[in-house]
Amino acid sequence: MIKKLPALPTLLLVGIIGGVISIVVQGDSITSMVNTMTNGFHAESGVEAVDSLLNRGGLLSMLGTIGLLTIATALGGLLEGTQIFQALVRPIVARIKTPSSLIATTIASTFLVAFASGAQFLAIILPTRTFVQTYKDMNIDTKNLSRCVEAAGTVGITLVPWGVPAVFAASMLGVSPEQFIPYIFFAFLVPLINIIYGITGWTIVKKEYPARSFQQQQNAAVGGMSHE
């Protein structure tokens, strides 16, 4: 962290160092070390609380989450590559005339991607790319876009039962997503507060961008629909 090294090589290096220490210090064999990395650590200490903390991990324990993330990424790639999401929201974007409707549409669209893909980073990327020009055309600072997308894509996606964050939390808590989602008040409140901000105009920062006018953007959207 101090040297600001990339995360993936660092994690790989830590895993290798841990394996070497298990062989040199603890006397494990290479086979035992690889088996632990694959299936997780298993020990019988006689203390149930200690065993519940230690007996876990391994690559196989993460395959469910990794598989879901892989499928969600593939689906998100299809949504972006075929521009299905853009086609769905383009008619709505063309009708946006007020900051409040823009804020609400951004949050709703982010939730749409979140429920369609279950992938957190897709719920952030797709709406951001779609709405960034609209924010500039309406002279609204794009940091408001960042806040709205974060409210639904970073926090709100936890409300998606098949989303990667909810599935990961379910595996850690040992309960189904449907059991704990109703109690994630923070995930409900953050998008709601942002919608209130949009309606009242409070904290919605204006900024002049040397970009196309909003009317030009609307005409371009209508022209694109006619061309299609």
Side-chain angles (χ1 to χ4, degrees):
M1 292 173 61
I2 295 175
K3 292 182 176 295
K4 299 182 179 179
L5 298 175
L8 292 180
T10 303
L11 290 173
L12 178 61
L13 179 60
V14 169
I16 294 174
I17 293 174
V20 172
I21 291 175
S22 71
I23 295 174
V24 175
V25 178
Q26 296 178 300
D28 271 352
S29 63
I30 296 178
T31 301
S32 176
M33 180 266 292
V34 173
N35 182 66
T36 300
M37 287 184 172
T38 304
N39 300 304
F41 180 78
H42 299 281
E44 297 295 335
S45 67
V47 181
E48 183 178 354
V50 174
D51 291 343
S52 66
L53 292 174
L54 297 180
N55 294 336
R56 61 177 61 208
L59 179 63
L60 294 180
S61 68
M62 298 182 289
L63 284 183
T65 303
I66 293 174
L68 177 62
L69 179 60
T70 303
I71 295 173
T73 303
L75 177 59
L78 291 174
L79 289 174
E80 184 174 14
T82 58
Q83 297 188 343
I84 293 176
F85 176 72
Q86 288 82 350
L88 289 174
V89 301
R90 191 179 294 122
I92 301 175
V93 172
R95 293 176 173 82
I96 294 175
K97 299 184 182 299
T98 63
S100 60
S101 60
L102 179 58
I103 297 294
T105 302
T106 302
I107 293 176
S109 299
T110 305
F111 270 117
L112 175 64
V113 178
F115 275 89
S117 67
Q120 189 176 51
F121 74 97
L122 288 174
I124 296 173
I125 292 175
L126 290 183
T128 300
R129 290 180 178 177
T130 302
F131 289 98
V132 62
Q133 188 59 48
T134 306
Y135 276 76
K136 291 181 177 180
D137 291 338
M138 294 185 67
N139 296 323
I140 300 176
D141 197 319
T142 52
K143 70 180 181 181
N144 297 284
L145 169 62
S146 176
R147 184 173 65 185
C148 291
V149 171
E150 180 183 5
T154 304
V155 179
I157 195 172
T158 317
L159 303 176
V160 181
W162 50 87
V164 175
V167 171
F168 175 77
S171 64
M172 297 299 294
L173 297 174
V175 297
S176 66
E178 293 80 7
Q179 289 179 284
F180 63 78
I181 283 178
Y183 301 98
I184 311 178
F185 303 116
F186 182 72
F188 287 103
L189 290 174
V190 171
L192 178 61
I193 290 173
N194 277 270
I195 293 176
I196 295 174
Y197 283 164
I199 295 174
T200 62
W202 188 43
T203 75
I204 304 301
V205 180
K206 296 288 186 176
K207 182 176 181 179
E208 294 291 334
Y209 286 97
R212 301 174 301 170
S213 67
F214 182 54
Q215 185 61 45
Q216 287 175 323
Q217 191 271 343
Q218 286 184 310
N219 293 336
V222 173
M225 293 172 60
S226 301
H227 178 72
E228 292 173 0

